[in-house]
Amino acid sequence: MSRQPSQQDESPVEPGFASYIGEVFGRQDEFMDSLMPRAREAGLPDIALSADAGRTLHLLARMTGAGRGPSLALELGTLAGYSGIWIARALAPGGRLLTIEPEPAHAAFARRAFDEAGVGDAVEIIAEPALDALPGLRAELGDASLDLVFLDAIKTEYPDYYELCAPMVKPGGLLIADNVLTSDWRITDAPGSDERRDAVDRFNRAVASDDRFFAICDPIRAGMLVALRR
Ligand SMILES: C[S@@+](CC[C@H](N)C(=O)[O-])C[C@H]1O[C@@H](n2cnc3c(N)ncnc32)[C@H](O)[C@@H]1O
C-alpha cells in the first residue's frame, strides 16, 4: 500500500488540504501505484484520477446495487484503465463494466491493464467516440439499466452525455462526473472565457436542478459531481 499526493495544482481545495487528503487517504496497492507511471512511459497523457479520487469512485460504486456493487457500470473516457479498475474492483459478482475509449493507443494499454489487474473478464472497451456509441448502447441496454455511470471524456460534451445517459441510470444508481470544478480552467472564471468551463457549468446546473436526481459536488481533486437517481 502506498499513498499518493493529490494533484494539488488542479485542486479547488486549499493546497494544504488537498495534499493532506492525498497523503492520508490516497492509499492504493502496488499495481495501481505503477499504472500511471507506466502509462506515461508509454506516451499516454497524465490525466487520470488521483488515488484519493479513485478511492472515492470505488467507495461510491460499492454502495450501489443495494451494497453489492454495480451489476452494470458505464465509463466514458478509459485512458489507461486507472479509474476503470477502481470501478471494476467494486463490481458485484458477475457484474460488468463497459468503458468507452476511441483513442486506439489508450484502449490497447487499458486492455492490458484490465487483464493484468485481474478484472479483464468483467470489462469491455468500446472503441468509439462516446456520442457515437451511446445511442446504440441505450437501444441495446434500455433505460434504467445502469447502476453507475462515470463521465470523464470530452468536457464540452458533458451536457450531451447527460441527456443520453440520465435515462439509463437505475433508480438508486449513481451518475458521477469528474472535473466539474476545474481542469486548466476554473468554474469560477467568467462565463464565455472557456467553452469547456461553460459546458461543464451548464451540465452542473442541469443535474443539480433535475428532479430525477439528488446531486452533490464533492470538491475532491478537480471536483466530482455525484448524483443519485431517485
Ligand atoms: C481524462 S481521460 C480519462 C481518465 C480516466 N477516466 C482515468 O481517470 O483513469 C479522458 C479520456 O477520454 C478519451 N476520449 C477522447 N475523446 C473521447 C470521446 N469522444 N469519447 C470517449 N472518450 C474520449 C481520451 O482519449 C482520454 O483517454
Side-chain angles (χ1 to χ4, degrees):
M1 288 282 183
S2 72
R3 295 169 172 81
Q4 277 203 341
S6 194
Q7 292 173 353
Q8 286 182 51
D9 51 344
E10 237 194 0
S11 175
V13 176
E14 184 186 312
F17 288 139
S19 177
Y20 177 86
I21 293 167
E23 180 198 334
V24 177
F25 294 100
R27 299 181 68 196
Q28 61 184 354
D29 62 26
E30 281 177 18
F31 180 82
M32 294 301 261
D33 234 0
S34 69
L35 185 59
M36 288 317 297
R38 287 196 290 126
R40 273 197 303 275
E41 275 171 32
L44 273 63
D46 191 10
I47 50 175
L49 293 184
S50 55
D52 47 20
R55 289 176 67 93
T56 303
L57 181 62
H58 176 82
L59 173 71
L60 292 166
R62 276 171 64 169
M63 292 164 71
T64 65
R68 298 174 72 239
S71 295
L72 191 55
L74 174 66
E75 175 181 61
L76 275 54
T78 317
L79 187 61
Y82 181 82
S83 55
I85 293 169
W86 279 114
I87 297 171
R89 287 178 171 178
L91 288 169
R96 282 195 305 146
L97 167 66
L98 310 176
T99 179
I100 302 180
E101 176 55 65
E103 179 59 51
H106 299 184
F109 186 98
R111 180 72 269 158
R112 285 193 301 277
F114 290 128
D115 293 343
E116 288 163 9
V119 296
D121 289 349
V123 182
E124 181 185 338
I125 301 177
I126 299 169
E128 278 182 80
L131 290 182
D132 291 350
L134 284 171
L137 270 182
R138 189 172 167 198
E140 181 190 331
L141 302 171
D143 287 348
S145 53
L146 299 170
D147 296 298
L148 178 80
V149 176
F150 178 52
L151 307 183
D152 196 17
I154 305 283
K155 308 314 165 197
T156 51
E157 295 182 354
Y158 272 26
D160 303 305
Y161 299 157
Y162 181 55
E163 200 176 316
L164 289 160
C165 290
M168 297 173 74
V169 182
K170 272 184 195 169
L174 292 177
L175 179 110
I176 303 176
D178 190 36
N179 290 108
V180 300
L181 293 177
T182 187
S183 176
D184 48 7
W185 44 268
R186 293 176 78 80
I187 204 74
T188 47
D189 291 344
S193 57
D194 188 298
E195 61 177 341
R196 295 161 301 174
R197 189 220 78 89
D198 292 351
V200 172
D201 185 40
R202 280 201 307 283
F203 165 77
N204 286 340
R205 291 174 191 277
V207 186
S209 61
D210 186 337
D211 287 337
R212 292 173 299 175
F213 287 91
F214 183 91
I216 59 124
C217 178
D218 179 346
I220 193 153
R221 199 183 79 102
M224 199 179 261
L225 178 147
V226 182
L228 175 74
R229 178 79 201 246
R230 296 181 198 266

